[in-house]
Amino acid sequence: ETGVTQSPTHLIKTRGQQVTLRCSSQSGHNTVSWYQQALGQGPQFIFQYYREEENGRGNFPPRFSGLQFPNYSSELNVNALELDDSALYLCASRNRGGRTEAFFGQGTRLTVV
Amino acid sequence: AQRVTQPEKLLSVFKGAPVELKCNYSYSGSPELFWYVQYSRQRLQLLLRHISRESIKGFTADLNKGETSFHLKKPFAQEEDSAMYYCALKPTGGGNKLTFGTGTQLKVEL
């Protein structure tokens, strides 16, 4: 058990709506990153947060935003949902500094209809 | 920009046969390469990284900078090796920013 949990596990939203996905990181993990995994594809990097500030972003529009909290939890927010946003969303956390791997959560399956 | 290519979507081998999962990358600097594995109904987890030069569950991978490859190998496949395998690249100073390939489904048949 890695200690990284995501909620909810499944979610269905309507196009145009907004969604918030949550991730609870392992204690002491001060870096969290979010990935989008479309069907049949590898995970794609969305952004990374370190000490509650965005610290790197992939090729995703501004309607994808995030927050990281002092209690090692974080959120991914997506506004104005589009059908193509349907995917598995993964969070991964690690302790920046030292030799530690990134631990992945089990993911949230988002379906936009 | 970096890119990771896994040319095979599916690789099927018999138990006891050698396995090689191919991974090629493009990156102008010195990347860190990883193999991640996802067993059925489980989360993505790290299998091995090139800087460790270790063997995990009988798997090894050598970084070939000349061929920009990081192929995953195992001499004798086991049924429990059946899973989805992803090759991933992290650029220098890239934090958690991993670039993944599209993955190869390994199926070990009896």
Side-chain angles (χ1 to χ4, degrees), chain B residues 15-95:
Chain B
K15 180 181 174 181
V19 174
E20 183 178 47
L21 301 174
K22 289 184 168 42
C23 172
N24 287 89
Y25 69 90
S26 64
Y27 179 63
S28 56
S30 294
E32 192 172 347
L33 274 296
F34 305 83
W35 276 99
Y36 279 82
V37 61
Q38 188 167 29
Y39 300 102
S40 178
R41 301 183 190 281
Q42 294 188 27
R43 66 189 64 199
L44 200 60
Q45 58 186 284
L46 179 67
L47 180 62
L48 54 79
R49 70 186 80 196
H50 89 270
I51 60 172
S52 300
R53 301 186 65 82
E54 57 196 344
S55 173
I56 303 293
K57 300 185 178 182
F59 284 98
T60 58
D62 290 320
L63 178 61
N64 185 323
K65 291 186 178 181
E67 295 183 358
T68 59
S69 68
F70 188 57
H71 303 327
L72 183 67
K73 299 177 184 178
K74 185 170 182 176
F76 308 104
Q78 302 298 313
E79 192 180 358
E80 56 266 28
D81 296 330
S82 294
M84 192 73 174
Y85 291 81
Y86 293 97
C87 182
L89 177 155
K90 187 176 82 169
T92 307

Side-chain angles (χ1 to χ4, degrees), chain A residues 31-90:
Chain A
T31 302
V32 66
S33 50
W34 286 88
Y35 291 81
Q36 180 194 67
Q37 187 174 18
L39 203 60
Q41 301 295 318
Q44 270 198 295
F45 177 76
I46 302 174
F47 46 55
Q48 171 177 286
Y49 277 77
Y50 171 64
R51 291 186 175 177
E52 302 162 47
E53 290 194 7
E54 188 177 297
N55 181 30
R57 190 175 185 92
N59 189 26
F60 281 82
R63 60 188 185 85
F64 285 78
S65 62
L67 287 171
Q68 185 187 25
F69 303 101
N71 64 352
Y72 305 112
S73 67
S74 58
E75 291 180 355
L76 164 66
N77 298 289
V78 187
N79 293 322
L81 282 167
E82 301 176 359
L83 297 179
D84 285 348
D85 296 333
S86 295
L88 181 69
Y89 289 86
L90 301 168

